[in-house]
Amino acid sequence: MGIETDRNHHELPAHEVLVLVETDAHVGLDAGEARDRLRRFGHNVLPPVHRRGPLLRFLLQFHNPLIYILLVAAAATLALGETVDAGVILGVVLINAVIGYVQESRAEAALDALVAMTRTAATVVRDGTTRRISSDDVVPGDLVMLEAGDKVPADLRLIEVEDLEVDESALTGESVAARKEQTVLPTGTVLGDRANMAYSSTLVSRGRGRGVAVATGAQTEIGTIHRLVGTATDVETPLTRKIAQFSKLLTVAILALAAVTFAIGFARGEPAGEMLTAAVALAVGAIPEGLPPVVTITLAIGVSRMARRHAIVRKLPAVETLGGTTVICTDKTGTLTRNEMTVRELWAGGEAFQVTGDGYSPGGRLERDGRRVDVATVPAVRDCLVAGVACNDTRIDDRDGGVEVVGDPTEAALLVSGAHADVDRESVAEALPRLDSLPFESETRYMATLHEPDGSGPPVVYIKGATEMIVGLADAQLDADGAQIDLDAGRILAEANALAGRALRVLAFARAELPKEAGLGHDHLREAHVVFLGLQAMADPPRSEAVSAVAACRSAGIGVKMVTGDHVATARAIADEFGLVESAGDGQTAGAVMDGNDLAACGDDDLPDAAERASVFARVSPEQKLRLVRALQSRGHVVAMTGDGVNDAPALRQADIGIAMGRSGTEVAKEASDMVLTDDNFATIEAAAEEGRGVFDNLTKFIVWALPTSMGEGLVILVAIIAGSTLPILPVQVLWVNMTTAVALGIALAFEPRESDVMLRPPRDPSMPLLTPTLVWRIALVSFLMVLGAFGLFHLELANGASDAAARTVAVNVFVMIELTYLFNCRSLERSIVSVGVFSNRWVIAGSLAMIVLQVLFTYVPAMNTLFHTAPINVGAWARIAAVAVGVFAVVGTEKLLRRARARVADGR
């Protein structure tokens, strides 16, 4: 009989499932059968994500339009016999490829380290003996034991449960742990409601259980979503799109100029070979050889800066993509919130109290009307806190400088609220040793623990659970002084409903005394004198830094949309705290909470409008997240999607930039992402967006700085051909200028600090070209001034009796010195160098000094004169070069000043 692992096991009785998977409920599999099944079914791991090998990854570094241009130029240069020139160009291409390869390898290594941290062990029964094995070796039919803190190793049909609750947020997005039961469920029960199943990669938050593995590896529910990830397509980033468009335009312009140069010279009767040489020289001059390596270096610097701010970037272009993001779709639990349940309010003795503090950190306190409360003066409050600590199966352990909750986060919140009032677990356990307990059950909806007070007195029972159930058991309540009074059920239920209406999770607490000879049972509680103690209301608090980060994103014009698996009321309450319900963050009002049913009812044509209007999406399925991302992209948005669960992976892959959580994120989510947050914090996304905008600014600054030289060098040659004069600059000199200035000067722009207003600007329009009309005008202006200065001084030197070599040396130095002074103007494309700070980028100063030294060597060292066909020049020539360079600096500075003045007039300032 073959083992059946593809059935809906939640619909079958446990004994039938055991028969189907051919195992025993007590003995489990024998070792030989387990080895055989491991060979048949394979290891309990997801199919490996296809990664490119090292060689292919290196070769793909050359897959770039600008690299293609450089390779063609190198081939043409080599064909003309200029081996040195060809070698220089190929060297540039190789350096660029090595930098990109090393960075991607580092990112993959960082990701592998995160994945290694998620390896787990599993407790199974084989040959009747309990043993610990690697979760990778679990096979269908294995009998798996579960306890609080365990990670479920495979899809299990539960056959025994004891107060078992499982955190399934990684799979369903639901932040509240799911209660598990040993029952048979009807056909069609949805995944989130399958109480008799435990699924791979979910976490046991409370209790214990036993289940039989019915699916492993790719056959699990997370395996299903893993396959869904493959249907999402990798999206080309805005940077790669813009660079590709820019490169095509540049290629056309270069080829056109080269063709015009050849045609004009040939028409004038010049030899075809010489004109081909001139055309190639023009092409080499017009290609910005430094652009590819500087793009890569700038992105790598952004990666390094992001890593210091807790973000690991897996793909270089993702650095800039986040800077161009127009919408961030963010998960709630753990990203916007702390993923640490926290008691916020307490009601006892007929009075309301507030609890300060966030998460599981110490330092909170109880307050009433803003003033600290000493619980010794309010016995009802102390009794309520003691009940929360005594009727509790969870513990909080110190771990690696932080804390780890072993058990239910809700119970952890009760321990913390008690600790704020010096009601700690150890002292309560010592004063009230536990004798027995009744676990929470869906029928009773409460938990009870029996204790023996330290000293004389009857055993005491502490009860916690749903308010209506506790009120139904109680026949009295405490007033503020701790005296028993008649139960006011209506008042208690009204207070509980008011707290629940604020999306707080409310638990009620009570106390009873039992005769010493009586045991603990539901009948005993129904017959006992039960005193209602109070209510504790809790929530997963927002991260304080995330609140300011969301506000910063919205100020920057980036829409923030919460996409969560939580209930609508919970999502709306958190959204209120972030101000998301009033505005979608993109200039549109948001009415604006949609749930999974709303999305399902929304057709593909209507979804883009609905997605733009809404700012909160609750109870959303994986397929709906994918639809949502695609709908926003159809409106031209650059979409960033955050997530940590398996259910988030398809949308992470589809988004322009997928952002996975490093701590809580699943392996599947990390593999599908472009960036991993090591601290799981939305504030890191805002920081990364800020870095991304700075990266794009610096890339734009470099292009605006580099293009005038490339265009100027090409136009100088074109003008010389048209005028029929000697070339003012030779191809080898062009390569010297392009490469030395790119290394000494251009790379310094990659280290330019972010401008102060980078997060006050609206997002870039994704449809806008890389260069705006203003920047194109500035590039043309500086190119014209370079041609005028170089051509003019070249002929002035010849007129003064200088040799061709000396005149060309002057022309080369004109290009370099204009680039040097223009670099300071390019440190900000709008502001003056004074407002930026002359010395705020030490790399610019160091690069400028290095460039001056290089030009002195280029001009006066005999070996350089021979190699580059240069000659020494006099002080007068240097003075004229400096005058031209300073003049260009002044012209560009004046142009920026006039544009700022016009902008202020247009804004009415």
Side-chain angles (χ1 to χ4, degrees):
M1 177 178 178
I3 299 172
E4 296 189 42
T5 61
D6 58 350
R7 297 285 297 273
N8 290 324
H9 298 92
H10 62 278
E11 302 173 3
L12 303 175
H15 68 272
E16 290 188 22
V17 175
L18 292 168
V19 171
L20 287 172
V21 297
E22 300 178 9
T23 193
D24 184 271
H26 303 287
V27 178
L29 299 174
D30 64 61
E33 178 65 16
R35 286 194 298 271
D36 180 60
R37 294 190 185 188
L38 189 62
R39 286 192 296 269
R40 290 165 58 193
F41 294 98
H43 284 284
N44 179 33
V45 294
L46 294 174
V49 175
H50 175 68
R51 287 189 182 178
R52 303 182 181 101
L55 178 60
L56 180 58
R57 199 160 69 241
F58 178 72
L59 292 177
L60 285 173
Q61 304 302 320
F62 299 92
H63 184 51
N64 180 297
L66 282 178
I67 297 297
Y68 297 155
I69 298 174
L70 289 175
L71 290 174
V72 171
T77 307
L78 186 64
L80 292 170
E82 301 292 341
T83 54
V84 174
D85 296 359
V88 170
I89 298 173
L90 289 173
V92 171
V93 172
L94 185 61
I95 291 170
N96 176 69
V98 169
I99 292 171
Y101 175 80
V102 168
Q103 176 54 40
E104 285 193 16
S105 298
R106 285 179 177 176
E108 293 296 339
L111 184 69
D112 289 339
L114 283 171
V115 169
M117 293 170 60
T118 67
R119 300 293 183 197
T120 59
T123 302
V124 301
V125 177
R126 287 183 179 172
D127 294 317
T129 303
T130 301
R131 62 185 69 181
R132 295 283 282 176
I133 65 172
S134 169
S135 60
D136 294 358
D137 295 332
V138 173
V139 297
D142 257 328
L143 195 62
V144 179
M145 310 297 290
L146 299 176
E147 290 190 355
D150 286 348
K151 187 174 183 179
V152 180
D155 285 1
L156 309 179
R157 172 60 162 87
L158 298 171
I159 59 176
E160 181 181 317
V161 297
E162 182 179 340
D163 201 19
L164 182 64
E165 293 184 5
V166 179
D167 177 0
E168 297 181 335
S169 58
L171 189 63
T172 65
E174 173 59 69
S175 60
V176 178
R179 183 79 185 175
K180 295 301 178 181
E181 301 172 358
Q182 183 183 343
T183 184
V184 178
L185 298 172
T187 302
T189 303
V190 297
L191 184 69
D193 295 332
R194 294 177 187 173
N196 60 6
M197 299 288 295
Y199 291 103
S200 177
S201 296
T202 58
L203 298 171
V204 178
S205 60
R206 178 176 181 168
R208 59 183 60 90
R210 178 192 301 241
V212 59
V214 295
T216 59
Q219 302 307 312
T220 61
E221 288 294 333
I222 69 166
T224 300
I225 299 180
H226 185 267
R227 290 192 295 274
L228 183 61
V229 173
T231 67
T233 57
D234 281 320
V235 179
E236 191 180 33
T237 70
L239 179 65
T240 55
R241 287 196 296 266
K242 292 178 188 298
I243 289 291
Q245 293 165 0
F246 172 71
S247 300
K248 290 175 183 177
L249 181 62
L250 193 60
T251 301
V252 172
I254 290 171
L255 292 177
L257 280 174
V260 169
T261 300
F262 180 86
I264 291 175
F266 188 75
R268 292 172 62 90
E270 301 290 344
E274 291 183 13
M275 288 303 95
L276 182 59
T277 300
V280 170
L282 183 147
V284 171
I287 295 173
E289 288 92 346
L291 181 56
V294 168
V295 167
T296 302
I297 290 169
T298 303
L299 293 174
I301 291 169
V303 166
S304 177
R305 288 175 174 173
M306 286 187 182
R308 291 195 293 270
R309 301 180 79 170
H310 309 295
I312 295 175
V313 175
R314 299 183 61 206
K315 302 172 185 176
L316 279 179
V319 178
E320 182 276 333
T321 306
L322 193 57
T325 296
T326 59
V327 174
I328 298 174
C329 296
T330 177
D331 192 16
K332 176 186 74 68
T333 305
T335 308
L336 293 176
T337 65
R338 297 174 64 93
N339 198 19
E340 298 177 351
M341 293 298 287
T342 303
V343 175
R344 307 292 287 274
E345 298 191 42
L346 185 147
W347 189 83
E351 298 179 344
F353 302 85
Q354 295 73 49
V355 184
T356 67
D358 285 332
Y360 305 137
S361 58
R365 66 183 192 178
L366 267 73
E367 294 181 347
R368 180 170 51 198
D369 300 326
R371 296 182 179 180
R372 184 167 189 163
V373 174
D374 181 359
V375 295
T377 64
V378 192
V381 172
R382 181 172 181 81
D383 283 350
C384 183
L385 293 172
V386 169
V389 174
C391 189
N392 199 310
D393 287 331
T394 294
R395 70 175 192 271
I396 302 176
D397 297 335
D398 293 329
R399 186 68 55 87
D400 298 329
V403 296
E404 179 184 30
V405 172
V406 181
D408 190 320
T410 299
E411 291 191 335
L414 300 176
L415 294 179
V416 173
S417 68
H420 289 337
D422 297 325
V423 180
D424 61 272
R425 180 184 179 88
E426 290 73 19
S427 61
V428 170
E430 182 178 349
L432 296 165
R434 184 186 292 191
L435 302 176
D436 200 357
S437 65
L438 287 175
F440 181 96
E441 296 177 359
S442 58
E443 293 82 7
T444 60
R445 297 173 63 197
Y446 62 76
M447 172 186 177
T449 54
L450 179 65
H451 302 264
E452 182 177 17
D454 185 16
S456 60
V460 62
V461 178
Y462 286 105
I463 314 164
K464 76 168 186 289
T467 306
E468 58 272 23
M469 301 305 294
I470 301 301
V471 169
L473 288 173
D475 50 25
Q477 68 183 75
L478 297 184
D479 64 13
D481 297 325
Q484 292 189 21
I485 60 175
D486 291 339
L487 183 74
D488 187 348
R491 171 81 183 281
I492 294 171
L493 292 173
E495 293 290 343
N497 289 336
L499 292 169
R502 298 198 290 274
L504 297 173
R505 185 178 184 187
V506 182
L507 287 178
F509 300 85
R511 182 185 65 208
E513 293 181 354
L514 296 179
K516 286 189 176 181
E517 65 277 3
L520 179 61
H522 298 296
D523 291 339
H524 297 113
L525 292 180
R526 284 191 284 269
E527 296 171 0
H529 173 54
V530 178
V531 180
F532 175 82
L533 300 177
L535 305 170
Q536 293 193 54
M538 63 196 70
D540 184 5
R543 294 177 180 264
S544 57
E545 65 274 25
V547 174
S548 57
V550 168
C553 285
R554 294 173 64 192
S555 295
I558 303 172
V560 179
K561 299 179 184 294
M562 181 196 297
V563 185
T564 178
D566 262 337
H567 289 283
V568 172
T570 304
R572 184 189 293 275
I574 293 295
D576 280 338
E577 298 200 46
F578 283 89
L580 293 179
V581 175
E582 292 79 16
S583 170
D586 53 8
Q588 304 218 21
T589 57
V593 178
M594 297 182 69
D595 63 15
N597 292 330
D598 297 329
L599 288 173
C602 200
D604 290 340
D605 293 337
D606 298 328
L607 185 58
D609 282 336
E612 289 218 72
R613 286 194 302 271
S615 55
V616 179
F617 301 87
R619 305 301 272 175
V620 177
S621 71
E623 293 83 358
Q624 289 171 338
K625 291 183 180 182
L626 194 60
R627 284 188 69 208
L628 182 60
V629 171
R630 286 172 173 164
L632 290 168
Q633 287 173 332
S634 72
R635 286 300 182 88
H637 284 293
V638 177
V639 181
M641 177 75 190
T642 75
D644 55 3
V646 177
N647 59 326
D648 297 321
L652 291 176
R653 175 63 62 84
Q654 177 65 39
D656 295 275
I657 177 166
I659 306 169
M661 303 298 113
R663 289 182 179 177
S664 61
T666 60
E667 199 170 319
V668 177
K670 293 170 190 172
E671 289 286 358
S673 68
D674 302 293
M675 188 170 81
V676 179
L677 305 185
T678 60
D679 61 355
D680 293 11
N681 195 339
F682 185 88
T684 301
I685 302 173
E686 186 266 335
E690 186 178 24
E691 292 290 352
R693 289 190 173 195
V695 165
F696 187 85
D697 274 2
N698 290 349
L699 286 175
T700 305
K701 291 170 186 176
F702 175 82
I703 292 171
V704 172
W705 171 80
L707 282 188
T709 302
S710 297
M711 292 180 62
E713 289 166 340
L715 290 174
V716 156
I717 295 171
L718 179 60
V719 170
I721 295 297
I722 293 174
S725 67
T726 306
L727 292 180
I729 185 168
L730 299 175
V732 71
Q733 294 169 344
V734 167
L735 285 172
W736 166 265
V737 172
N738 288 356
M739 291 314 304
T740 57
T741 56
V743 173
L745 301 179
I747 289 177
L749 287 174
F751 295 92
E752 188 65 28
R754 296 182 307 278
E755 296 190 38
S756 58
D757 65 344
V758 71
M759 289 299 282
L760 300 177
R761 312 171 195 161
R764 298 186 308 276
D765 184 345
S767 64
M768 284 182 62
L770 194 61
L771 299 175
T772 63
T774 298
L775 297 181
V776 171
W777 155 253
R778 188 173 300 163
I779 290 168
L781 173 64
V782 177
S783 299
F784 171 75
L785 295 175
M786 279 187 168
V787 172
L788 189 63
F791 201 78
L793 287 189
F794 173 76
H795 284 282
L796 181 60
E797 293 301 311
L798 290 179
N800 289 337
S803 65
D804 286 353
R808 285 182 174 131
T809 304
V810 169
V812 169
N813 278 299
V814 167
F815 277 107
V816 171
M817 292 305 154
I818 289 177
E819 278 196 272
L820 192 152
T821 57
Y822 180 49
L823 179 72
F824 286 87
N825 265 319
C826 287
R827 291 188 55 202
S828 175
L829 299 177
E830 296 179 358
R831 298 156 59 201
S832 69
I833 184 60
V834 175
S835 63
V836 172
V838 176
F839 300 103
S840 58
N841 185 347
R842 66 180 185 275
W843 294 100
V844 168
I845 304 300
S848 299
L849 294 174
M851 195 68 245
I852 291 172
V853 171
L854 287 172
Q855 284 310 111
V856 169
L857 297 175
F858 175 83
T859 303
Y860 295 107
V861 173
M864 301 288 278
N865 296 155
T866 301
L867 184 60
F868 291 102
H869 312 292
T870 58
I873 57 178
N874 58 35
V875 175
W878 280 113
R880 289 186 287 275
I881 292 169
V884 170
V886 172
V888 172
F889 174 84
V891 169
V892 176
T894 302
E895 185 256 356
K896 289 165 64 176
L897 178 63
L898 293 174
R899 285 193 181 277
R900 289 198 303 274
R902 278 202 301 270
R904 284 194 294 270
V905 171
D907 292 341
R909 289 180 285 162

